[in-house]
């Protein structure tokens, strides 16, 4: 009996190892595909607000990740309500609604709604008459996807504006836990919050293929400043493999939004 149990245990261990290896390899290949398809743009491609920490007195923006794709103008025009030639601001609103309303973010917002209000719905995705504007009664920033995101800046809000800017503040409890164990020598810490920027370039002609625009999706991560860790460049952040997953997810959001736009035009 012990021998049989030992053999069964070894088989289960073998199956688990193979399944884990296959899953890990599949994720790696998927990340490689997205990384090749959407190479990172330089930080200068984002706006100044993207690089500025939410609370600059106590936080610093450790890194920004900006990804882009060129798509035919007609693909994004399909999301513009006006039948006239759309302005750049209208294109930015259309792209922002496409990203916030993409299936992957709608699922994320719906899961949050299920946890907070027991309703599987994404709620506000910016498609209402008010769009991304502040609350008319209180003036409070627009809350999207059941509180997952908060609007920080509207498209064309100022001369430096580079599309819609939203933020996500993470709960204090997990961050404080990792800060505590980091003081004991743990090599990583958790971020305080994330900002996402969604922008569209001016239309341009591409090699006789027609008129295109470049759509972008950017992320910036804020961390608390810990004086004991020295220079900002040497402060602890999340592990490299987790950072790669974060970047892969940002690329996946961009890819999903583009695919959904293309499918809509092809119908």
């Amino acid at each position: 009996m012990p021998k049989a149990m030992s053999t069964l245990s070894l088989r289960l261990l073998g199956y688990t190892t193979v399944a884990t290896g296959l899953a890990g390899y599949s994720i790696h290949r998927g990340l490689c595909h997205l990384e090749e398809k959407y190479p990172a743009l330089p930080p200068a491609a984002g706006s100044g607000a993207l690089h500025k920490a939410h609370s600059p007195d106590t936080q610093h923006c450790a890194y920004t990740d900006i990804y882009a794709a060129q798509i035919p103008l007609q693909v994004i025009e399909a999301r513009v309500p006006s039948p006239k030639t759309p302005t750049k601001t209208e294109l930015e609103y259309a792209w922002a609604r496409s990203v916030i309303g993409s299936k992957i973010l709608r699922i994320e917002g719906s899961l949050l709604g299920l946890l907070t209000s027991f309703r599987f719905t994404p709620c506000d995705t910016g498609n209402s008459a008010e769009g991304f504007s502040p609350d008319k009664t209180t003036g409070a920033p627009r809350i999207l996807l059941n509180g997952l995101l908060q609007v920080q800046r509207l498209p064309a809000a100022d001369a430096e504006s580079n599309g819609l800017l939203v933020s996500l503040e993470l709960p204090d409890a997990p961050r404080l836990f990792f800060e505590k164990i980091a003081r004991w020598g743990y090599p990583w810490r958790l971020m305080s919050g994330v900002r996402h920027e969604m922008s569209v370039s001016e239309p341009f002609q591409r090699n006789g293929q027609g008129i295109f625009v470049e759509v972008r999706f950017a992320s910036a991560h804020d961390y608390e400043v810990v004086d004991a860790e020295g220079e900002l460049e040497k402060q602890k952040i999340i592990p490299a493999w987790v950072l790669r997953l974060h970047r892969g997810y940002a690329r996946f959001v961009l890819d999903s939004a583009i695919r959904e736009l293309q499918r809509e035009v092809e119908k």
Side-chain angles (χ1 to χ4, degrees):
M1 190 69 176
K3 184 177 179 180
M5 289 295 292
S6 177
T7 302
L8 179 59
S9 297
L10 286 174
R11 285 181 179 175
L12 289 175
L13 178 61
Y15 295 150
T16 302
T17 301
V18 171
T20 303
L22 288 174
Y25 180 74
S26 298
I27 292 172
H28 169 70
R29 292 302 304 160
L31 290 173
C32 287
H33 170 72
L34 290 170
E35 288 162 356
E36 182 179 354
K37 190 174 183 179
Y38 303 111
L41 297 182
S47 69
L50 178 68
H51 300 278
K52 185 179 180 181
H54 184 67
S55 301
D57 293 337
T58 59
Q59 300 173 346
H60 73 108
C61 179
Y63 46 84
T64 56
D65 303 307
I66 306 172
Y67 309 110
Q70 295 181 2
I71 62 174
L73 176 61
Q74 65 179 14
V75 172
I76 191 71
E77 279 183 327
R79 289 287 180 93
V80 179
S82 172
K84 301 181 296 181
T85 301
T87 64
K88 183 172 182 292
T89 300
E90 287 175 319
L91 292 176
E92 287 182 336
Y93 271 97
W95 172 238
R97 289 193 298 269
S98 299
V99 175
I100 302 297
S102 63
K103 181 179 291 185
I104 183 66
L105 289 188
R106 288 177 66 88
I107 291 174
E108 198 171 335
S110 296
L111 289 173
L112 183 59
L114 190 62
L115 292 172
T116 56
S117 60
F118 305 104
R119 296 174 58 216
F120 191 76
T121 173
C123 283
D124 197 344
T125 60
N127 272 318
S128 65
E130 293 79 16
F132 301 110
S133 300
D135 187 276
K136 290 183 178 180
T137 305
T138 65
R142 176 72 52 181
I143 302 298
L144 305 170
L145 300 172
N146 285 306
L148 183 67
L149 300 173
Q150 177 177 293
V151 175
Q152 297 293 307
R153 184 198 64 212
L154 297 173
D158 51 57
E160 200 264 347
S161 177
N162 200 15
L164 182 73
L165 182 69
V166 297
S167 66
L168 163 64
E169 295 301 313
L170 300 179
D172 287 334
R175 174 183 61 81
L176 291 172
F177 170 76
F178 281 99
E179 286 181 6
K180 182 177 181 179
I181 61 176
R183 290 196 296 270
W184 297 342
Y186 189 71
W188 302 291
R189 283 197 287 120
L190 197 61
M191 77 272 305
S192 303
V194 183
R195 286 183 307 287
H196 295 302
E197 187 172 75
M198 291 142 270
S199 60
V200 183
S201 72
E202 294 285 354
F204 58 90
Q205 190 80 28
R206 194 177 82 171
N207 300 328
Q209 299 177 36
I211 302 177
F212 280 68
V213 290
E214 183 175 86
V215 292
R216 296 177 179 176
F217 181 70
S219 299
H221 290 186
D222 293 340
Y223 288 80
E224 299 300 310
V225 175
V226 178
D227 294 334
E229 293 180 6
E231 300 175 8
L232 293 181
E233 294 76 12
K234 297 180 180 179
Q235 302 242 327
K236 296 177 180 180
I237 59 172
I238 55 177
W241 68 272
V242 178
L243 180 54
R244 189 187 183 204
L245 289 176
H246 272 271
R247 289 169 170 166
Y249 184 71
R251 288 179 165 104
F252 181 62
V253 170
L254 172 64
D255 188 67
S256 297
I258 292 171
R259 287 176 180 273
E260 288 171 26
L261 279 171
Q262 291 171 334
R263 282 198 295 268
E264 187 173 304
V265 171
E266 291 168 0
K267 286 181 179 179

